[in-house]
Amino acid sequence: MSVNTTRTRTLIAAVATAVLAVGGLTACGTDDEPTKESKPSSSEEKTGGDTKDEDTKGEEKSDESGAYSAGDTAVYDSGLKITVSAAEGYTPDEYAVGHTEGNKAHQVTVTLENTGDENVSADLITVSARAGEDGVDAEEIFDNTVGSGFSGELLPGKKATAVYAFDAPADAKILDLEVELIDFTTAPAQWSLQL
């Protein structure tokens, strides 16, 4: 991906953010907070029953910090579901932008699913990351394989998948990933991924 393409994407995101800021300020304070989609345990699958209390079903986070783990799905009241895979090693191509020699590149797959009744603007999905115990910004990598992200409208009942790669210090053991729909009503969801 060329530097001009990266600049164009950044400009489009800035314009979209400005338009939403003008029209969306009245919606501030009405965050749609994500909850974790419950996955049946092996005993629930065998008996067909639910061993959890109905009041806590689907509302727990994966760790003490509140971050989800690899493979967990963040579910919003709007019907949007976001799933992030485990981080895997990645080898940027020779023309990659965002990779620093001596650092390690890691890729993740982000899947969106629209189970709601209205379209979701996938153009407004942003994915960012921090690496290591100090939480340094992990720069996104752009090359011929990764970095295009999401685009267009996600219709009800449809899924969209994109692969992202991030540059992290070689000694980093954790990649903290944040996925956000920039609509001023949807709270971001965060995953803590082992490297």
Side-chain angles (χ1 to χ4, degrees):
M1 176 174 285
S2 72
V3 173
N4 286 336
T5 304
T6 303
R7 288 183 185 149
T8 301
R9 285 186 69 210
T10 302
L11 180 60
I12 290 170
V15 169
T17 301
V19 169
L20 285 173
V22 171
L25 288 176
T26 59
C28 288
T30 58
D31 283 353
D32 183 2
E33 294 281 340
T35 57
K36 180 182 166 194
E37 182 173 68
S38 295
K39 296 177 184 174
S41 69
S42 57
S43 64
E44 290 170 4
E45 289 172 352
K46 290 177 186 174
T47 64
D50 188 352
T51 60
K52 290 186 179 183
D53 183 302
E54 284 299 315
D55 293 335
T56 61
K57 183 178 178 184
E59 296 180 2
E60 73 278 1
K61 296 282 184 159
S62 293
D63 69 13
E64 293 174 6
S65 71
Y68 297 113
S69 297
D72 286 346
T73 299
V75 180
Y76 291 89
D77 292 340
S78 66
L80 176 64
K81 294 183 176 185
I82 304 172
T83 307
V84 174
S85 73
E88 300 176 1
Y90 180 73
T91 303
D93 70 25
E94 61 182 317
Y95 302 108
V97 174
H99 179 60
T100 301
E101 189 173 337
N103 284 356
K104 290 187 179 178
H106 304 276
Q107 74 175 25
V108 297
T109 301
V110 179
T111 303
L112 308 177
E113 182 178 5
N114 184 358
T115 64
D117 297 327
E118 297 182 12
N119 293 1
V120 172
S121 180
D123 290 316
L124 299 179
I125 297 287
T126 64
V127 180
S128 59
R130 292 179 298 279
E133 290 182 17
D134 293 332
V136 298
D137 284 340
E139 189 169 352
E140 185 176 353
I141 297 170
F142 297 89
D143 64 15
N144 288 324
T145 305
V146 297
S148 59
F150 293 104
S151 63
E153 294 286 310
L154 184 59
L155 300 174
K158 298 294 184 177
K159 288 184 178 183
T161 302
V163 178
Y164 292 83
F166 295 94
D167 195 51
D171 61 349
K173 304 284 188 247
I174 299 287
L175 185 69
D176 291 317
L177 195 82
E178 180 173 279
V179 182
E180 182 174 13
L181 174 61
I182 306 176
D183 65 354
F184 298 100
T185 62
T186 306
Q190 298 180 350
W191 283 259
S192 189
L193 309 173
Q194 299 293 319
L195 299 178

